[in-house]
Amino acid sequence: MIAIGLYILAGLGLEHLAAAGGRHDPSALEFLLAALSFACASAGAALLLCGPKLLERQPVSFRWRRNQ
């Protein structure tokens, strides 16, 4: 939920920066906010859908094991 909250805040900040000035070249801050927004939305959605099982170890089939 924190990642989704950060996504919303970054999106609102980006919207505010875009609406404040007319047509202009994007600044480094706008690129940073867009990247932060994308990363937080992706991580938040993955954690929301998969929950704690997202980072669990998964069994590897015998055919892909090397040391057995």
Side-chain angles (χ1 to χ4, degrees), residues 10-36:
L12 288 174
L14 184 60
E15 181 181 6
H16 177 72
L17 284 176
R23 296 188 71 119
H24 64 283
D25 290 334
S27 66
L29 180 61
E30 290 170 335
F31 277 118
L32 178 67
L33 285 175
L36 180 67

Side-chain angles (χ1 to χ4, degrees), residues 50-59:
C50 297
K53 292 186 177 189
L54 182 66
L55 300 175
E56 283 183 358
R57 288 187 164 260
Q58 298 298 318

